[in-house]
Amino acid sequence: MWNTKRGSCLHSKGELWGLFILLLYTIPFSSSSNFSHLIYKIKEGLPKGTLIGAISADLKLDLSVSPPRSFNLELKTARQQYVNLNNTTGELFTSAVEIDREALCAESHEGQGCAIFLDVLILPQQYFQLVKVKIIIEDVNDNHPHFPLGDIRVSVPENAPVNARFAVEQSAVDPDIGIHSVQTYWLANDYGVFTLDVEENEGGELTPFLIITESLDRETQAEYVTDIIAEDGGSPPLLGTATLRIIITDVNDNCPKFTESLVNVTIYGNATKGMQLARLEAYDPDEGANALITYTFSERVTQESRNLFHLDTNTGVLKLAGKIDNNTGKLYKLIVLANGPTCIPEVATVNVHIIKQLSGPPVVIPRYIASEKDGVVSLSESEPAFTPIAFFTIKNTEPQQKIECLLEGAGPFRLVPYERIKNEYLLETTELLDYEQQQDYEMAVVVRNSHGLVVNTVVKVHVLDVNDNAPVFKQSFIEITVEENNPPNTFLAQLQATDADSESRGEVYYLLGADAPTIFDLDRSTGVLTVSTSLDREEKETYRFMVRAVDRGTPRKESIATVIITVQDRNDNSPRFINKDFTFFVPENFPGFGEIGVLTVTDADAGENGWVALSILNGSDIFVIDTGRGALRAKTSLDREQQGTYYVWIEAIDGGEPALSCITTVTVLLLDVNDNPPTVLFPQSNQSYMLVLPNTLPGTSITEVYAVDRDTGMNAVIAYSIIKRTDGEPGSFDIDPYTGNITLRKTLSNRGLYSLWVKVRDHGQPELYSTVLVNLFVNETVSNETLIQSLLPRSVDIDHGELPPDKKGRKGEQVPNMCGEYRVLLLALTATCLGLFLTVVSLVTYICCKRRKPKKKRSDIEIPLNSL
């Protein structure tokens, strides 16, 4: 910071910089101490705040001096906007303006490189130094190759030889340089007849060349359209694409051919000049000038024939150009050539037969019965067969002259003598006319006398249309498929019906049948069938209704077609378990892979969308599920004492794409089985004993036997009893059957060891029990431990000792117990009632769930295996 006194002398920042520049050019300095040059390299596109370089560190300057050094850019230039300079540390950072090498150095070529040049001043004056900083901007592959045109055309002659090369002038450009510029070209589809090669010129530019690999034929295929793709050398490479149209240009490799090589024409001697006799047609598959055809007479055609007949060189129309000699019949043979560029002419022959016509021909007078105008008779197609059209009266005949009158021309007509009146003929129809088959007929009434004189009278008949055709659908059954969940107003089909009648009688409009649901709309004019709402296959899979096509004739005619719309399934329904959750009661020790219960799952969709697979989300090491039947099984036998309740999460996944799923909870409750005998916890050993004083009063609690049973319910209810005594005074001690508390029954008169065999049994079925030896030493003191130990029963005596006959048994021995049987029956009844209750709850839940149709995706959750 400058002090206040100096600030008062310099009134503006501009004056301060002016002083710096003046010092720069007036104070001499050596290049070693006052001038430095630094070069940094960075890549384009770096984010704001990226460190470019530290001037102080690179120049090894001490920043702890006083006054401190400051770093300043000499002048504000356009390129300084890309960097920020820390005035205190001299560190250069990228600014918020991103550096784009292609925009920054747009005018420099690849060999020049791209750089930003800065002048940094180190102040104050005693530290003054000028630092020239050059920041080289390195290229990154951030530009795709692009073609100057999106549609590139290359013309190739069809006779181009194999391996011929054609340059694609509109090559791609890439603003990047070096390996990041365009490296190669290739075709998306070469059609088996093209390939690309790339050539590099002296300037390093790549030009793609199209190479012909197979022979071409424009008449087979005149154009090939593919994509030309430019690829740069970046990693990954970037691509540019343009449409390449390969136009196969025509060469004259085909010659004209006549459609008919022989044409016969017959005319009468009274034919008028300018009458068209024939039209010769030739074709050439080539195009443009190569397909140009001219028609000429052969040199063998005489001058007389050339004067009498005219041939149009462009159209091939042959006309009568002169007057025919009416006194003689004659045959003219005309040779006509079809000429094409560089082709041998194609030859056709025209035979013109001229029939002579003598003077004084018969006269034919027509009298029309049907409507006639300008020589054209109009006849409705609804007229029946044998409808009269016209009378023809033959005059100018000699009485003895024989007259022949006949009808020439195709059609359902005949010419018959009228009621045997001489020289009167009636023209009539022979069958119904059909406007839809043919609208116009042209025939000639030919009269020939015995002198060979012939008169032709042309009769034209125009058939009038009536509404005799109903519209005809293109298909009588119109089958349409549409996916469910379609958007409203979805297009289904465009109905097409045609009516062979003309004008308004052939105009068709469309109507829906009375059985069509209101959700369908049919455009009257276009026949476009749409559905106004979204369809649900699960609600209805097939729609069948009638449509009508009606014309506008009088009377109106119509036809019907049947529309069958099949709604295709989409996977829009998740699988549904019949219960929200399941509870199964299984006795413990149930055999492994035995069926615990069956989970029923449904899916309203069809096909693969409705196929459901079941899987266990947790506890798969304990349980398995049959995905077909839904049967849940345990891999091994389960022990209630280890775990009494299992919570298993079952997922149902359908086969749709994407798959939908649902999850249910299965609670497996293990029912207790009496498989554990009571365990005596006290006394802990048959070799233990307890001192009882002789003066102990009757009723005094001496000790207790304490036992537990790992089972539950009645299987865990324990009863205690003394089954054998080895004391000198029988009945001296009693045991409480419920608590195991041993009390003194009467006064003790004898001293010594009293041993009681206590049976500890449960109330299960079968009954299980354990035995324990309770040793009571009656004496004032325990003075002789050795004596007491010698009196205690040995383990061998205990193991092999006999029990009273009515008390014999072993662990697990069944003892009849009527109370136990009643308890089992009560337990069975309780389980049955509970099962019925759960079944009712499950059915109610299933009915409620069916009313709603939630559509949820499978949720990815982790569910632990819980236990009680």
Side-chain angles (χ1 to χ4, degrees):
M1 296 292 293
W2 296 94
N3 57 34
T4 307
K5 293 181 180 180
R6 298 191 66 179
S8 63
C9 297
L10 299 176
H11 300 285
S12 69
K13 186 176 181 181
E15 293 178 1
L16 178 61
W17 281 109
L19 178 59
F20 288 162
I21 296 172
L22 180 61
L23 292 173
L24 175 63
Y25 290 100
T26 56
I27 301 175
F29 54 86
S30 64
S31 60
S32 60
S33 60
N34 296 87
F35 175 78
S36 299
H37 190 276
L38 296 176
I39 299 177
Y40 299 108
K41 289 184 179 181
I42 61 171
K43 293 186 180 297
E44 63 174 324
L46 293 177
K48 177 185 177 182
T50 301
L51 179 64
I52 300 173
I55 297 175
S56 60
D58 293 335
L59 296 180
K60 297 181 174 55
L61 300 178
D62 185 4
L63 298 180
S64 63
V65 297
S66 181
R69 288 184 173 88
S70 65
F71 300 83
N72 304 276
L73 292 173
E74 178 188 0
L75 293 173
K76 275 290 182 181
T77 62
R79 294 194 174 187
Q80 290 180 12
Q81 64 178 324
Y82 298 107
V83 298
N84 290 330
L85 176 62
N86 188 308
N87 299 100
T88 304
T89 63
E91 292 177 325
L92 283 169
F93 298 92
T94 55
S95 68
V97 180
E98 184 179 291
I99 299 176
D100 184 357
R101 190 198 63 82
E102 289 74 32
L104 181 64
C105 303
E107 298 180 357
S108 63
H109 55 76
E110 181 175 343
Q112 291 179 336
C114 180
I116 298 175
F117 296 93
L118 305 173
D119 287 343
V120 178
L121 298 176
I122 301 177
L123 297 172
Q125 183 176 351
Q126 57 266 40
Y127 309 127
F128 179 79
Q129 190 173 351
L130 173 64
V131 181
K132 294 282 188 177
V133 178
K134 177 180 180 181
I135 304 174
I136 299 174
I137 310 302
E138 295 181 337
D139 184 45
V140 297
N141 192 28
D142 57 346
N143 290 280
H144 287 261
H146 67 277
F147 290 88
L149 296 177
D151 195 317
I152 301 173
R153 296 175 179 265
V154 176
S155 297
V156 178
E158 64 176 324
N159 62 346
V162 175
N163 295 326
R165 302 166 67 87
F166 298 88
V168 181
E169 299 295 342
Q170 294 84 1
S171 57
V173 294
D174 192 327
D176 295 324
I177 61 174
I179 192 65
H180 296 153
S181 63
V182 177
Q183 299 297 312
T184 186
Y185 293 85
W186 42 282
L187 295 176
N189 183 3
D190 60 11
Y191 293 95
V193 295
F194 303 105
T195 187
L196 274 184
D197 189 18
V198 180
E199 292 186 4
E200 182 176 358
N201 60 18
E202 295 179 356
E205 295 179 348
L206 299 180
T207 301
F209 279 79
L210 184 69
I211 301 177
I212 312 302
T213 59
E214 297 290 341
S215 58
L216 303 173
D217 185 3
R218 188 203 64 81
E219 287 72 36
T220 301
Q221 185 165 349
E223 184 182 51
Y224 297 85
V225 179
T226 183
D227 286 338
I228 182 172
I229 300 170
E231 179 179 325
D232 64 20
S235 180
L238 301 180
L239 306 177
T241 304
T243 300
L244 179 64
R245 298 183 182 273
I246 306 171
I247 311 299
I248 310 302
T249 58
D250 186 48
V251 297
N252 193 26
D253 56 349
N254 292 280
C255 290
K257 297 289 182 182
F258 277 107
T259 56
E260 292 182 279
S261 59
L262 178 62
V263 180
N264 292 311
V265 179
T266 301
I267 61 175
Y268 293 97
N270 61 347
T272 58
K273 182 179 179 180
M275 176 181 178
Q276 180 174 324
L277 305 180
R279 183 188 184 99
L280 291 93
E281 293 186 10
Y283 70 94
D284 190 327
D286 294 325
E287 64 178 3
N290 295 329
L292 185 64
I293 300 174
T294 58
Y295 301 88
T296 60
F297 285 125
S298 170
E299 295 294 335
R300 291 180 288 175
V301 177
T302 63
Q303 188 62 42
E304 177 190 0
S305 298
R306 292 174 184 267
N307 294 335
L308 189 58
F309 303 99
H310 175 264
L311 178 64
D312 191 299
T313 58
N314 294 322
T315 63
V317 174
L318 182 66
K319 294 183 178 180
L320 185 64
K323 186 177 181 180
I324 301 175
D325 185 358
N326 195 32
N327 296 321
T328 60
K330 194 173 183 179
L331 172 65
Y332 289 90
K333 186 175 183 179
L334 306 176
I335 307 300
V336 179
L337 305 178
N339 305 285
T342 68
C343 287
I344 298 175
E346 179 74 1
V347 178
T349 302
V350 181
N351 293 321
V352 182
H353 298 267
I354 299 179
I355 301 174
K356 69 178 182 177
Q357 190 166 357
L358 301 178
S359 59
V363 176
V364 180
I365 301 175
R367 290 175 294 164
Y368 294 101
I369 301 173
S371 175
E372 180 269 338
K373 183 178 181 181
D374 298 331
V376 179
V377 178
S378 298
L379 202 62
S380 172
E381 65 174 331
S382 63
E383 295 292 344
F386 307 109
T387 297
I389 299 175
F391 280 115
F392 291 91
T393 303
I394 312 301
K395 292 186 177 183
N396 195 23
T397 60
E398 297 177 2
Q400 303 300 324
Q401 190 176 26
K402 185 178 179 180
I403 299 296
E404 181 184 7
C405 186
L406 53 91
L407 185 67
E408 289 186 351
F413 306 97
R414 70 176 183 175
L415 187 66
V416 295
Y418 181 68
E419 295 181 354
R420 299 183 179 180
I421 298 177
K422 187 177 181 180
N423 296 336
E424 290 283 345
Y425 294 88
L426 175 64
L427 178 64
E428 62 183 5
T429 62
T430 59
E431 59 185 54
L432 285 172
L433 302 178
D434 191 347
Y435 172 87
E436 288 71 37
Q437 290 186 0
Q438 188 169 343
Q439 294 86 38
D440 295 287
Y441 296 90
E442 184 173 337
M443 65 204 83
V445 177
V446 181
V447 180
R448 182 181 293 109
N449 61 17
S450 57
H451 299 295
L453 297 178
V454 179
V455 175
N456 292 335
T457 301
V458 177
V459 179
K460 296 181 179 180
V461 177
H462 177 67
V463 182
L464 299 176
D465 186 33
V466 297
N467 193 32
D468 59 342
N469 290 280
V472 177
F473 278 101
K474 190 175 181 180
Q475 295 174 304
S476 58
F477 285 90
I478 304 167
E479 296 184 356
I480 303 170
T481 59
V482 60
E483 281 194 346
E484 63 175 330
N485 304 329
N486 57 288
N489 301 318
T490 295
F491 170 85
L492 297 178
Q494 184 171 15
L495 308 183
Q496 292 183 346
T498 57
D499 192 319
D501 294 323
S502 62
E503 299 178 350
S504 62
R505 294 175 292 274
E507 296 178 4
V508 179
Y509 62 93
Y510 303 90
L511 299 172
L512 288 172
D515 59 342
T518 58
I519 61 174
F520 296 101
D521 297 318
L522 181 62
D523 190 283
R524 290 172 59 94
S525 301
T526 64
V528 172
L529 180 65
T530 57
V531 58
S532 60
T533 186
S534 180
L535 300 177
D536 187 353
R537 188 202 65 83
E538 288 71 39
E539 292 183 1
K540 190 170 184 179
E541 186 172 3
T542 304
Y543 296 87
R544 186 186 183 104
F545 55 87
M546 299 293 183
V547 290
R548 300 162 52 205
V550 186
D551 65 20
R552 300 184 185 274
T554 303
R556 298 183 187 275
K557 292 183 177 294
E558 68 176 58
S559 62
I560 62 174
T562 301
V563 176
I564 302 172
I565 299 175
T566 301
V567 183
Q568 293 181 333
D569 186 51
R570 294 184 66 181
N571 194 27
D572 59 344
N573 289 278
S574 301
R576 304 291 299 171
F577 288 96
I578 62 169
N579 296 334
K580 183 178 180 182
D581 49 41
F582 295 82
T583 301
F584 298 123
F585 295 90
V586 182
E588 64 173 330
N589 303 327
F590 193 70
F593 293 97
E595 185 176 293
I596 295 174
V598 176
L599 286 76
T600 303
V601 62
T602 61
D603 194 315
D605 293 322
E608 291 185 358
N609 295 334
W611 179 86
V612 179
L614 299 177
S615 61
I616 299 176
L617 297 181
N618 66 330
S620 58
D621 55 338
I622 302 175
F623 298 96
V624 294
I625 191 164
D626 182 354
T627 190
R629 290 186 59 245
L632 181 66
R633 307 172 191 271
K635 294 181 179 179
T636 60
S637 178
L638 303 178
D639 188 353
R640 189 205 62 80
E641 286 71 37
Q642 292 183 2
Q643 185 170 333
T645 303
Y646 293 88
Y647 296 100
V648 185
W649 293 79
I650 306 296
E651 181 181 40
I653 305 177
D654 62 23
E657 182 61 37
L660 300 178
S661 64
C662 70
I663 297 173
T664 188
T665 305
V666 177
T667 303
V668 179
L669 297 175
L670 297 184
L671 301 177
D672 186 46
V673 174
N674 193 28
D675 57 348
N676 292 281
T679 302
V680 178
L681 301 180
F682 185 85
Q684 297 180 354
S685 170
N686 289 334
Q687 297 295 310
S688 63
Y689 65 93
M690 183 176 181
L691 178 66
V692 179
L693 297 176
N695 58 357
T696 301
L697 298 177
T700 301
S701 176
I702 304 302
T703 185
E704 68 174 345
V705 178
Y706 179 70
V708 295
D709 195 316
R710 296 177 60 192
D711 295 322
T712 60
M714 297 303 296
N715 296 332
V717 176
I718 297 175
Y720 302 88
S721 63
I722 299 174
I723 58 176
K724 184 179 179 182
R725 305 170 187 264
T726 60
D727 51 1
E729 299 179 35
S732 301
F733 296 94
D734 282 339
I735 189 168
D736 190 300
Y738 303 106
T739 64
N741 188 33
I742 297 176
T743 59
L744 182 62
R745 184 177 181 184
K746 59 183 180 179
T747 303
L748 297 173
S749 58
N750 297 328
R751 288 171 174 76
L753 184 65
Y754 290 73
S755 296
L756 307 176
W757 283 96
V758 177
K759 179 180 179 181
V760 183
R761 65 178 180 87
D762 58 24
H763 285 68
Q765 289 294 330
E767 177 186 280
L768 301 180
Y769 68 89
S770 299
T771 59
V772 64
L773 185 61
V774 179
N775 298 306
L776 302 175
F777 184 67
V778 179
N779 201 10
E780 286 80 0
T781 60
V782 182
S783 59
N784 193 344
E785 183 73 24
T786 303
L787 174 62
I788 299 174
Q789 291 296 333
S790 64
L791 295 176
L792 291 174
R794 292 175 298 171
S795 59
V796 176
D797 298 334
I798 296 173
D799 294 338
H800 299 282
E802 293 187 359
L803 298 177
D806 59 338
K807 300 295 183 177
K808 287 184 180 179
R810 56 184 177 84
K811 180 178 180 181
E813 180 182 357
Q814 297 187 7
V815 178
N817 191 330
M818 295 301 293
C819 294
E821 293 178 0
Y822 289 131
R823 284 193 295 271
V824 171
L825 179 60
L826 180 61
L827 182 61
L829 289 174
T830 303
T832 301
C833 295
L834 181 60
L836 290 174
F837 173 74
L838 291 175
T839 301
V840 173
V841 171
S842 301
L843 289 175
V844 172
T845 304
Y846 175 74
I847 293 171
C848 294
C849 292
K850 286 293 287 182
R851 292 179 179 175
R852 295 182 296 121
K853 207 167 133 187
K855 301 181 180 180
K856 60 180 181 179
K857 303 293 182 181
R858 174 183 175 182
S859 59
D860 296 328
I861 57 175
E862 182 178 352
I863 305 170
L865 178 62
N866 296 327
S867 62
L868 290 179

